Amino acid sequence: MKCLTTIAIGGILATGLSFAQTSSATSQKTTKEYVDLLRSDLRKEKSSVVDQAMGLDSAQKAKFYPIYQQYEKELTGLFDRRMTNIKKYAENYPGVSDAVADELVSSAMTSQTDRMALWKKYHAQMKSALGSKIAARFVQVENTLAQLVDLQLNSELPLMP
């Protein structure tokens, strides 16, 4: 069940990506609205998956979720940057110049580094509030979800021409 929900999250993102690759001015507004809707659905689904995977009691949840909500706000910023990078790729595809290719790779690598830094930051906060095992589980769950989303997104992106 957990795995299916997680795969569905990736599918939601991939659908949004395919839709986001349209280029007309009219569809840009629709694309933004669609991506906003997907983010809303993604947050709901992810919250359910995280809640199940973490398996916390009510006292632990009271400590976990305020930290997790702040984490999600910061993660949303990283996701926004990633979506901007994907949109830039879509806008330039298939005529991607060398300069744009370099920018895209640099941005993607920075996003990966920033995501790891975010996990490290919130692992420390979770560890302080809830102990090492729960903090490790948090990183494990987030890493698994991120890998599934990454796999889905990357499978939908065409290779660099």
Side-chain angles (χ1 to χ4, degrees), residues 59-119:
Q60 292 168 325
K61 284 181 183 183
K63 294 177 184 177
F64 176 82
Y65 278 104
I67 299 168
Y68 191 76
Q69 289 169 350
Q70 188 60 40
Y71 162 78
E72 278 291 312
K73 285 180 186 175
E74 289 189 52
L75 186 63
T76 297
L78 294 180
F79 183 75
D80 289 346
R81 286 189 2 227
R82 186 173 184 193
M83 289 304 295
T84 298
N85 203 43
I86 290 170
K87 286 178 186 177
K88 184 173 187 171
Y89 183 45
E91 290 165 0
N92 286 277
Y93 191 85
V96 180
S97 69
D98 287 347
V100 170
D102 287 342
E103 289 175 32
L104 293 169
V105 169
S106 178
S107 179
M109 288 181 178
T110 298
S111 290
Q112 290 291 335
T113 301
D114 291 349
R115 181 166 61 182
M116 294 300 275
L118 190 66
W119 288 346

Side-chain angles (χ1 to χ4, degrees), residues 34 44 51-52 56 60 63 89 106 114 117 121 138-139 147 154:
Y34 191 67
K44 275 193 262 181
D51 193 52
Q52 290 176 9
L56 303 173
Q60 292 168 325
K63 294 177 184 177
Y89 183 45
S106 178
D114 291 349
K121 173 183 174 180
F138 158 74
V139 172
Q147 287 178 354
N154 291 334

